[in-house]
Amino acid sequence: MIDRGRLERHIAELSAIGGKGAAVTRLGLSREEQRARTLVGGWLAARGARVRRDPAANLFARFGSEGPAVLLGSHLDSVPEGGRFDGALGVLSAIEAVESLLDLQAPLRRPIEVVAWADEEGARFGVGLFGSAAAFGRLAPGVAERTDRDGVSIADALRSLGEVGDPALARREPKEFAAYLELHIEQGPRLADAGRALGVVSDIVGIYHARVTLRGRADHAGATIMSARADTLAGAAEMVLAVERIARAHPDGVGTVGEIAVRPGAKNVVPGECVFSIDLRAARAHEDLVRWVLAEVERIAHTRGLQSSVDELARVEVTPLDRGIALLLRRAVKDVGVDAELLVSGAGHDAQNAQLSGVPTGMIFVRSSGGSHTPREFASLDDAALGARALAIALRELAA
Ligand SMILES: [Zn+2]
């Protein structure tokens, strides 16, 4: 049985870490994320799990003995001023699912591991799905040397949390896992619009993240005639509009420039350097979207006499999740009274790294009335408990 009171208490206790009103700021690889791991690890240890942190700061809590485990969980970090449910609800539902299975006192056919992936959001270092990428050997080379705005590297951040500073050491073999299940709030309005509490994910979009650096020339804004300028911000503006235009023309692509910085950054200086982010996603023909945007960035830079360099931060392919697990999850969701639709996830998830590594993976979405990555994100206790019950049913089929 799912204990609604406990679930509610856990949501409240967890969101107090980094919480301010309804907003939660618990960045990846921060002290707040570490405190959240300690709290959650304590709950799991109290139920008899063997709890450990790996060199990428992922938290694993194992029940049962030898053999491939059923893995379930999500992440504990948030974006700056995010909400209480994105990631957190997946970890807390996993705990509820395990608790309800342990309460049955049925022997485990397979071991179970609850996981809290570190730094899923990539808000601080720009590397999303960090912990799961490390665990499944899918980190880009040299990633540990990436720095945040204060010049602190991922390796430094890991060391300050008591790790050795090499996230590649977190690697595990996909064959250690029989399946991976993740519950997450839906990050769009489809479930809410359809009046359904739960959905099952069929595919996750391909994601491309990059940082573009443009170099031109910083000049006096008064004394430099227009034809003699190499203005990086004007070039970036054209590129931002190109991202929008190309994504609009793509059959189901979306493209966003969400961050931009100009140097030296003074009103009377022509911007000599500009750095901006690119986020490109699509469930189909994702590679085309990326290729078209990069070609346009290069063309615009060339036309304007700017130097451009593109630093790829993450590239995750379109990920069809496991069909067998999706069927199992649909049955489980139906058992709790919801005739679930299959949904494509427009947001990236740690589940992608598991599935792309060959671990049969499935996801349940829970309706969120306020979207996500905002303090408005909200899953009702009814919906959350329903999701946890469906997850528990799926877990029982796979592990007990
Ligand atoms: Zn999330």
Side-chain angles (χ1 to χ4, degrees), residues 269-285:
V269 181
V270 176
E273 188 181 302
C274 182
V275 181
F276 61 93
S277 63
I278 296 185
D279 178 316
L280 301 170
R281 309 181 191 210
R284 282 173 293 137

Side-chain angles (χ1 to χ4, degrees), residues 179-182 199-204 319-334 338-344 355 359-365 390 394 397-398:
Y180 174 56
L181 304 178
E182 179 166 355
V200 173
V201 178
S202 60
D203 306 82
I204 305 177
T319 313
L321 296 183
D322 187 82
R323 296 297 175 232
I325 302 278
L327 280 175
L328 168 73
L329 291 178
R330 277 184 99 170
R331 281 203 305 277
V333 164
K334 192 149 196 175
V338 181
D339 198 6
E341 287 185 90
L342 282 176
L343 300 168
V344 174
Q355 179 68 47
V359 178
T361 294
M363 289 192 79
I364 294 175
F365 271 173
E397 277 204 39
L398 288 168

Side-chain angles (χ1 to χ4, degrees), residues 74-75 77 85-88 120-121 182 184-185 187 348-349 373:
S74 190
H75 61 96
D77 65 309
F85 300 94
D86 185 329
E120 188 270 351
E121 302 286 4
E182 179 166 355
H184 202 281
I185 55 166
Q187 289 157 295
H349 291 287
H373 289 184

